[in-house]
Amino acid sequence: MKSGRARASPWTDAAARRSASAKVDDIFKQWRAERPDIDPSPVQVYGLICQLYLQTTAFINSALEPYGLYRGTFDVLTALRRAGAPYLLTPKQLAAELLLSAAGLTSRLNALEERHLIARLPEPKDRRTVRIQLTAAGESLVNTAIPVVFNAQWERLHRLGEPSRQRLAVELKRFADIVSETDTEAKSSGASDGLTLPREANSVRSFDVE
């Protein structure tokens, strides 16, 4: 099946499939050796989260390959599917849902529209704008792919054990709330970390797309 091209993940190379924890431990030790004047402990949290994202993207892409999808296009289809019938969202709603730039979303929409999995529909009150709708083919495909992805995720979570999984979910939610609250407070107070980043660096983008 034809699909949008996914950027190669370092985790697709068998030689690179070292455990995320081992890789992060090495980074931590390197910073301890190179900069003993600072505490690099945040690497053990943020670094691990980033490495896990790369690993999960790799196995999700592998699960989706038979359907001609990858994580980026799958996320668009699932966002529309979760919206409920008639599976319709504006590009702005989709971009906000997926934390994507307009350009990043457009490339995914083009790939899906080419396969007739989504349709761009003109807005009745303003034909200059469009809405994105899941087609019957798109709904059928995503309904088939969703349990495959969840099964791949559960395959790894089951090995953690249910009590540990629940504790991890609680702590991750708590940390996500802390990060969001801290960012909101910093913005409202006009605080800055002293760095000025390009606009595109401030948007969250998947590692494996475009």
Side-chain angles (χ1 to χ4, degrees):
M1 292 183 185
K2 192 173 182 179
S3 67
R5 292 188 63 184
R7 182 178 295 170
S9 166
W11 292 99
T12 58
D13 185 344
R17 287 179 185 167
R18 220 161 29 117
S19 75
S21 60
K23 194 168 185 178
V24 171
D25 283 346
D26 284 348
I27 295 171
F28 175 78
K29 292 172 184 176
Q30 288 167 347
W31 280 124
R32 286 283 298 267
E34 294 297 321
R35 288 296 304 269
D37 57 312
I38 56 177
D39 182 3
S41 296
V43 167
Q44 295 176 316
V45 176
Y46 294 101
L48 195 57
I49 289 171
C50 289
Q51 293 298 323
L52 282 171
Y53 180 86
L54 291 172
Q55 280 187 298
T56 57
T57 293
F59 78 70
I60 288 173
N61 283 346
S62 179
L64 290 170
E65 188 174 3
Y67 307 99
L69 299 171
Y70 64 96
R71 189 171 190 167
T73 50
F74 178 71
D75 285 348
V76 173
L77 296 179
T78 54
L80 291 167
R81 181 64 182 82
R82 290 196 313 271
Y87 313 121
L88 193 70
L89 292 172
T90 66
K92 185 176 181 179
Q93 288 172 322
L94 271 173
E97 176 82 10
L98 301 175
L99 299 175
L100 276 175
S101 66
L105 177 62
T106 298
S107 66
R108 299 183 187 190
L109 295 180
N110 289 344
L112 292 168
E113 186 177 38
E114 186 178 348
R115 294 183 57 196
H116 306 291
L117 300 176
I118 58 120
R120 287 178 166 101
L121 305 178
E123 176 65 45
K125 296 181 180 179
D126 184 359
R127 299 188 68 84
R128 294 172 299 177
T129 60
V130 298
R131 293 179 295 172
I132 310 301
Q133 186 172 40
L134 197 62
T135 63
E139 182 186 355
S140 175
L141 183 64
V142 75
N143 281 342
T144 301
I146 286 170
V148 174
V149 172
F150 275 124
N151 286 341
Q153 292 171 331
W154 271 117
E155 182 182 356
R156 289 145 179 90
L157 281 173
H158 279 316
R159 299 179 66 175
L160 188 63
E162 186 60 16
S164 293
R165 184 195 68 81
Q166 291 183 4
R167 286 195 300 270
L168 178 61
V170 169
E171 291 303 315
L172 285 173
K173 287 178 184 177
R174 189 164 75 92
F175 183 55
D177 288 342
I178 289 171
V179 171
S180 296
E181 289 167 7
T182 304
D183 288 349
T184 300
E185 291 167 2
K187 288 177 183 177
S188 63
S189 66
S192 170
D193 60 7
L195 296 176
T196 301
L197 299 176
R199 183 174 64 177
E200 61 271 18
N202 288 312
S203 62
V204 178
R205 297 175 63 187
S206 297
F207 291 94
D208 62 320
V209 299
E210 299 166 11

